[in-house]
Amino acid sequence: MMNLTCIAVDDEPLALELVSAFIKQTPFLQLAGRFTSALEALNHLHQHPVDLIFLDIQMPDLSGTDLARVLDKGQPGQGPRIIFTTAFSQYALEGYRLDALDYLLKPFNYMEFLRAANKALAYAELRQKPVETNHAAAAPVEAEDEYLFLKVEYQLVRVPLQDILYIEGLKDYVKVHLQSAPKPILTLITMKALEEKLPAKRFMRIHRSFIVALDKIHSVTRQSVQIGSINISVSDQYKEPFQKFLSRWT
């Protein structure tokens, strides 16, 4: 099992003591520092990177959400992961938008803490796998990934590519419509970011708000595609690549 270095940040001494004790109690977590100020934590992180931060939100000088934004500006998605700890439930949506791994509502017990820590461990192990593959000596070329991981609420959900019918964009969120489920998955990601994760041979963006699985198309016209009972229009912006695809059908 891999280990995660982490820090705890909370301006309440009792809350900071509790989180620190929980970290020490968890075998795969290593406490690298504890801070009563987000500014102190930020100064420490500039010199001593960590894997994970247990971060309070309401603090003087610099709030937890402000610290999260500062850390994300450097290398988005590459910095330490964050688990927010707060007594105020109204910050949950903000924490989700900041791509936090989890959100612990005070007062929380060790089992709730451990569940959040296990999510961080699973995320770290998931990110490590491609690195190990890339460094394998003389490794054979692997088949294209058959699934992707999407963040749904505060967990990563494994979605097989073969199960995807089409994807619908809703501002900063997308709905992933699946063959195996009556309700779509709602995940916080942009259409552009998700499009980059999908293999171009299997998926095509045909509209600002729609990406379709090419093998799920039942019929086509020059202006639309039919997937099951859903008819999706092709917008002018994407007509040229769609026409190239359409030429295979004629």
Side-chain angles (χ1 to χ4, degrees), residues 97-146:
R97 286 175 176 161
L98 288 168
D99 203 27
L101 280 180
D102 211 335
Y103 185 98
L104 291 171
L105 190 61
K106 299 175 182 176
F108 52 86
N109 58 36
Y110 179 67
M111 291 308 299
E112 292 170 311
F113 174 90
L114 184 59
R115 280 195 294 271
N118 278 326
K119 287 182 185 179
L121 179 62
Y123 181 88
E125 290 176 340
L126 181 64
R127 289 185 63 183
Q128 191 180 55
K129 285 181 181 179
V131 176
E132 294 172 349
T133 300
N134 291 339
H135 287 82
V141 177
E142 299 255 345
E144 189 174 65
D145 285 343
E146 290 300 315

Side-chain angles (χ1 to χ4, degrees), residues 183-238:
K183 291 185 178 180
I185 290 175
L186 184 66
T187 181
L188 180 63
I189 190 172
T190 64
M191 286 287 280
K192 182 179 179 181
L194 184 53
E195 184 181 9
E196 291 172 353
K197 293 175 179 287
L198 297 168
K201 292 181 179 179
R202 298 175 63 177
F203 295 87
M204 178 180 290
R205 190 167 184 176
I206 63 170
H207 190 281
R208 182 181 178 184
S209 301
F210 288 97
I211 298 171
V212 298
L214 297 177
D215 64 343
K216 299 301 190 301
I217 295 175
H218 293 158
S219 61
V220 299
T221 70
R222 299 216 170 259
Q223 291 83 31
S224 66
V225 302
Q226 189 82 20
I227 298 179
S229 60
I230 304 298
N231 188 274
I232 302 173
S233 298
V234 180
S235 66
D236 292 340
Q237 182 180 356
Y238 299 97

Side-chain angles (χ1 to χ4, degrees), residues 3-227:
N3 291 324
L4 303 179
T5 57
C6 59
I7 61 172
V9 187
D10 200 310
D11 65 325
E12 298 177 13
L14 290 178
L16 183 61
E17 184 63 37
L18 179 66
V19 172
S20 300
F22 283 169
I23 291 172
K24 293 175 182 178
Q25 191 176 335
T26 307
F28 57 84
L29 296 181
Q30 294 182 344
L31 183 62
R34 39 187 286 176
F35 305 92
T36 56
S37 160
L39 287 174
E40 291 177 3
L42 182 60
N43 291 332
H44 176 85
L45 292 169
H46 283 155
Q47 301 296 324
H48 308 282
V50 298
D51 300 309
L52 181 63
I53 305 174
F54 291 91
L55 182 59
D56 186 24
I57 291 181
Q58 279 203 327
M59 290 182 289
D61 299 326
L62 186 70
S63 71
T65 51
D66 287 338
L67 176 59
R69 291 189 189 96
V70 170
L71 294 174
D72 194 53
K73 283 182 180 177
Q75 292 179 306
Q78 300 301 311
R81 308 316 300 159
I82 291 172
I83 295 175
F84 282 119
T85 61
T86 180
F88 303 96
S89 59
Q90 65 265 32
Y91 292 114
L93 181 58
E94 181 69 10
Y96 186 54
R97 286 175 176 161
L98 288 168
D99 203 27
L101 280 180
D102 211 335
Y103 185 98
L104 291 171
L105 190 61
K106 299 175 182 176
F108 52 86
N109 58 36
Y110 179 67
M111 291 308 299
E112 292 170 311
F113 174 90
L114 184 59
R115 280 195 294 271
N118 278 326
K119 287 182 185 179
L121 179 62
Y123 181 88
E125 290 176 340
L126 181 64
R127 289 185 63 183
Q128 191 180 55
K129 285 181 181 179
V131 176
E132 294 172 349
T133 300
N134 291 339
H135 287 82
V141 177
E142 299 255 345
E144 189 174 65
D145 285 343
E146 290 300 315
Y147 55 86
L148 54 80
F149 282 86
L150 297 176
K151 188 173 181 184
V152 180
E153 294 181 350
Y154 289 104
Q155 60 184 340
L156 292 174
V157 175
R158 184 176 183 269
V159 179
L161 296 183
Q162 188 59 34
D163 198 22
I164 298 174
L165 295 171
Y166 64 95
I167 295 160
E168 181 181 0
L170 302 166
K171 291 187 178 180
D172 293 333
Y173 294 83
V174 298
K175 282 183 178 181
V176 181
H177 296 263
L178 303 177
Q179 197 169 27
S180 64
K183 291 185 178 180
I185 290 175
L186 184 66
T187 181
L188 180 63
I189 190 172
T190 64
M191 286 287 280
K192 182 179 179 181
L194 184 53
E195 184 181 9
E196 291 172 353
K197 293 175 179 287
L198 297 168
K201 292 181 179 179
R202 298 175 63 177
F203 295 87
M204 178 180 290
R205 190 167 184 176
I206 63 170
H207 190 281
R208 182 181 178 184
S209 301
F210 288 97
I211 298 171
V212 298
L214 297 177
D215 64 343
K216 299 301 190 301
I217 295 175
H218 293 158
S219 61
V220 299
T221 70
R222 299 216 170 259
Q223 291 83 31
S224 66
V225 302
Q226 189 82 20
I227 298 179

